[in-house]
Every structure is written in C-alpha cells, then in structure tokens.
Amino acid sequence: MNLKGKHVHLMGICGTAMASLAGLFKSMGAIVSGSDQNIYPPMSTQIEKLGIQIQRGYKKENLVPRPDLVIVGNVIRRDYEEAQALLASDIPYTSLPKAIGEYVIENRHSVVIAGTHGKTTTTSMMAWTAETCKKTPGFLIGGIPKNFEFSFKIPSGDFFVIEGDEYDTAFFDKVPKFIHYRPRSVILTSVEFDHADIYKDLEDVKKSFFRLAELVPQDGYFVYWAENENVLEVAKTTQAKKIPYGLERGDYQAKNISFEKDFCLFDVFYHEKKLDRVRLKVFGKHNILNALATYALAKELDWEMDLVKKSFETFLGVKRRQEIIGEPHGITIIEDFAHHPTAVLVTIEAIKERYKNQKVFAIFEPRSATSRRNFFQNEYAKAFESADVVILPDVFHAELLKEQERLSPQMIVKDLKKKGKNAYLIPKVDEIVSFLKKEAKSSDVILIMSNGAFDGIYQKLLSTL
C-alpha cells in the first residue's frame, strides 16, 4: 500500500515509538490520527507539533471515519472497545514493528540498537553520527534527541537507525519488536532481566536476544559489550562479524578517561593500539560505552572518523535522559527515564561525577512493570547508595499487584537508613515537593527518575521552588 493520501490510525499513539511512527507516516504523505488514554510529554507535545489530533480513550467511535490502515500499539489489549470494533470490521491492521519494516526500512541497511539499557541514547548518538557523516539516514527513536526536532526522520540515504526493543509487538503478534526490523548491523549494549509482565526470568529474556543475533547476516556487524556475561552468551550465536567493546575487555576499548566542565574525554584503543582521543558532551561511564559502540560500528563501516569525533563533541543527549529542566534559585532539577536498578545506579553515579561536592537528592518512582514488583528489592537499595538524600513515593498503582509480589519502598528506605543514608518514604508527590522546598538549597541537585508523568512532579517542583 502506498501511504500517500491514505488515512492511517494509530492505537496507542503516545507511546514513544508510536509517536515517532506517526511522524514518519505523516512525512510520507499519510493522513494520521490516533488514540490514547495516557497522554503526557514529551511525545504528546511532539504529536501536537505535528498537527495530529489525539482522541482520548479507546472508544469504537475512534474508527469513524473509517481508516485505510490501523497500527495497533503493544499497550492495546484485545478487550478494549476500540480493539474489539477493529477485529469485528474488515479494516486492515498491523503492528508498529511490522509497519516499520515494510513501509520504512524496506531494503536499507538497518542498524538496530538493542539491550536492556542505553538503547535510546545510543540510537540517538548513532543517528547523529550518521547525519554528521553525511549519510542522510532515517531513524526512529524511543525518545526525542536534542540534536533533531523530532524522534524520527524519513531516510534519503541507505541507512536506517532504529531503537530495537525486546518488548512484545502486539496482542496478535507475541514476538519481540526487533524481530521485524530487518537488522543488517546490531549494537547490543546489555542483557539483564526486565519486563516482568511478559518475561518470566532472565533465560526467557535471553531467548529474545538470541533470535535477534541469529537474524544478522554474515556480511553484517554485531557490536557488543564484552564485559557482560549475558551479552557474551548472545554474541556467540551470531554469524555476523563480531565487534566486542568495553572499558577493559574487547577489540575496542575506552581508556584514560578524564573530565572537563562540559565534556568527558577518553582514548579509543583498538587491539591495544591508540586510535583517537574523543571529547564527549554527555557524562557518565555508561555514555562513554554508548559512544565507544557507536565509534566501533562507524569505524567498521568506514565512515570518516574526524566527522565521527565531531558528532560526539556536538551530541546534546536526549530529552528525559539527564535533562536539566530548570535551575530555580541555583537548584539544578534533572529529569531522567531510569527505572531499572542498573540504570538508577549509573545515572546517580553520572550525576555525582558531574556535580562534584554538591548535594544530590534522588527521587524515584516505581512505575514500570518490573520496578513495581519485588524482583530487584535488594538491588534498588544498593542502587541508591551514592545519593546524598533518597526519596521514594508509594508504588504506582500498588493496588493492582498482590502484596507478596509488590516492591516495598519502606524496606528500601529501612535498608538505606541501616547504612547511615538519608532516606525517606514520602507517599505523595505534593508532600515530596513540600519536603524539597524546605530542604533543598542553592547549588543542590534534584534528580527525578521515572518512566512516566510522576503526577506532574516536574512542573509542581519548578513552580514551588
């Protein structure tokens, strides 16, 4: 189907990837509409900028007038009224990943960025590097990169860079999203247990990555973090050219790390031989690894390395990833998407590294399917140890979980206090804001971590301070 002039309707349009797909389809000349019941920035803001109307809720009336094609997001359940109306009709429908593969990637060199952590930032970095190297790539990112106006771009060159999520595709297509992305090259950043709502354990998670590894052709590249045993296990199964990287292991290594006010710097070594000194505008060892993976793939693809280095110096990061959203009265407020304990740990460490000798308040909302459950009860307590003050609210929609499977913020606070840490359980957002108004002083840093709207804490805090 040629989408130009066709009406395409997206169910679950405010999802990070769905909002990007909406923009891609509109750029291709389609008439786009969408529905959602969880509408919040930054994706809702992007959709509004695109002039796409969002219908609130999943009602059968959303399919009037009749669309030519419906894209069903993975948040949509079969029992939703809109889904039932779709299934009862003869309207063609498909999933987001299948639509991307068929209508956007086609036969291009698909660069899939996968892993439990770092996907959005690494995809944004890879897209900006390709753009700086004049490859005129297309991309689709599960967040909004600050170097681009939107989280998507129609390709005019041979490359398409995409964030490869291991979450399942749709209620009628229960395979990982990245299976549909036609990978020619892959960057695998990490493999840990996540998505407790669809995977039963780590072995189950690894199966999805094995499937991805097996899809990469022999003339493709498989760039992988060499310091994670789960990643190494996955890498063994690919027939593509293997490119390991790391801080202390791998063909490509980052060494001699140092920090300036606005940059972190490191040397790139290949088989123990120094290739380059790199200046990176985003902070944290996890971002150094993200940049090293991007550098390694760009080098293997024979891109111009002076331009690759320039892309790192000018890479601005991603909205909601260590993003400074305000500095009222000298208090720096930072928003981050971290929700897995590993992501929480490295995010706090990166903030402490950047804001040396400044007091860091870490506020975390247990909101994702995994973080709301007690799989990582002990790991969360360890993840917060480097913060100066830790604040936890109640678990998001705690009433939907059985008590025996629910994360206990109370226990995390208790464990931290045993170690002499300043930790507080403050159930409601308005109470957190009041606490911070009283306790936070000029030069302090407030780091807020959530993968959702967090009851509007960001604007409430900015307004109050």
Side-chain angles (χ1 to χ4, degrees), residues 53-312:
Q53 184 180 358
I54 305 172
Q55 295 152 302
R56 188 176 288 273
Y58 300 120
K59 305 181 291 290
K60 62 184 179 183
E61 289 81 12
N62 295 340
L63 299 177
V64 180
R66 174 194 164 96
D68 298 298
L69 177 66
V70 173
I71 311 297
V72 182
N74 65 0
V75 299
I76 305 301
R77 297 205 314 254
R78 185 182 290 272
D79 60 355
Y80 286 178
E81 182 180 296
E82 190 175 358
Q84 287 292 308
L86 174 66
L87 293 171
S89 74
D90 60 353
I91 300 170
Y93 65 90
T94 189
S95 66
L96 172 144
K98 277 190 174 179
I100 292 168
E102 184 176 348
Y103 295 110
V104 185
I105 296 174
E106 299 178 307
N107 294 318
R108 294 182 174 87
H109 187 130
S110 175
V111 179
V112 178
I113 316 298
T116 310
H117 312 295
K119 290 188 294 292
T120 302
T121 300
T122 310
T123 309
S124 302
M125 203 179 279
M126 192 76 218
W128 180 239
T129 298
E131 183 80 8
T132 306
C133 291
K134 301 178 173 55
K135 300 301 177 184
T136 59
F139 58 82
L140 188 143
I141 302 167
I144 299 179
K146 295 180 184 177
N147 291 87
F148 298 98
E149 185 178 4
F150 296 115
S151 60
F152 63 88
K153 182 169 170 270
I154 290 291
S156 52
D158 294 331
F159 287 91
F160 194 84
V161 183
I162 185 164
E163 180 171 337
D165 192 353
E166 70 272 23
Y167 205 83
D168 62 9
T169 295
F171 69 77
F172 51 85
D173 187 13
K174 290 296 191 181
V175 298
K177 289 180 183 176
F178 50 44
I179 296 300
H180 296 295
Y181 292 161
R182 309 181 183 198
R184 184 86 59 83
S185 293
V186 164
I187 291 175
L188 183 58
T189 63
S190 50
V191 175
E192 291 190 55
F193 178 66
D194 200 2
H195 306 306
D197 50 333
I198 64 167
Y199 292 110
K200 62 177 186 271
D201 52 29
L202 176 59
E203 292 306 310
D204 200 23
V205 171
K206 284 195 284 194
K207 287 176 188 173
S208 68
F209 289 104
F210 289 141
R211 293 181 70 177
L212 175 66
E214 289 161 4
L215 284 173
V216 188
Q218 283 184 324
D219 61 351
Y221 297 96
F222 196 85
V223 181
Y224 62 96
W225 185 32
E227 294 159 330
N228 179 284
E229 292 305 316
N230 299 324
V231 172
L232 292 173
E233 192 178 339
V234 171
K236 287 177 185 174
T237 65
T238 187
Q239 59 181 336
K241 183 180 179 185
K242 296 179 178 69
I243 315 292
Y245 69 92
L247 299 181
E248 296 179 355
R249 292 169 64 182
D251 294 350
Y252 288 87
Q253 293 182 19
K255 296 180 180 291
N256 305 321
I257 298 167
S258 62
F259 301 94
E260 296 177 352
K261 183 176 180 293
D262 296 317
F263 293 93
C264 62
L265 298 88
F266 63 93
D267 292 333
V268 177
F269 280 73
Y270 179 70
H271 290 301
E272 304 301 321
K273 179 184 176 184
K274 182 179 172 180
L275 298 182
D276 268 318
R277 182 74 170 162
V278 170
R279 299 174 82 229
L280 183 63
K281 205 170 177 64
V282 291
F283 277 70
K285 286 182 180 174
H286 60 301
N287 280 322
I288 290 172
L289 285 168
N290 295 339
L292 184 62
T294 303
Y295 181 103
L297 182 54
K299 179 79 171 170
E300 297 294 329
L301 291 169
D302 202 26
W303 292 359
E304 190 176 333
M305 297 316 292
D306 284 344
L307 293 178
V308 172
K309 289 197 293 180
K310 181 184 175 184
S311 76
F312 295 148

Side-chain angles (χ1 to χ4, degrees), residues 320-340:
R320 300 201 74 195
R321 269 67 173 183
Q322 296 181 33
E323 181 180 16
I324 297 173
I325 58 172
E327 297 179 275
H329 300 291
I331 301 168
T332 304
I333 302 175
I334 298 173
E335 179 182 11
D336 198 272
F337 199 72
H339 49 280
H340 188 284

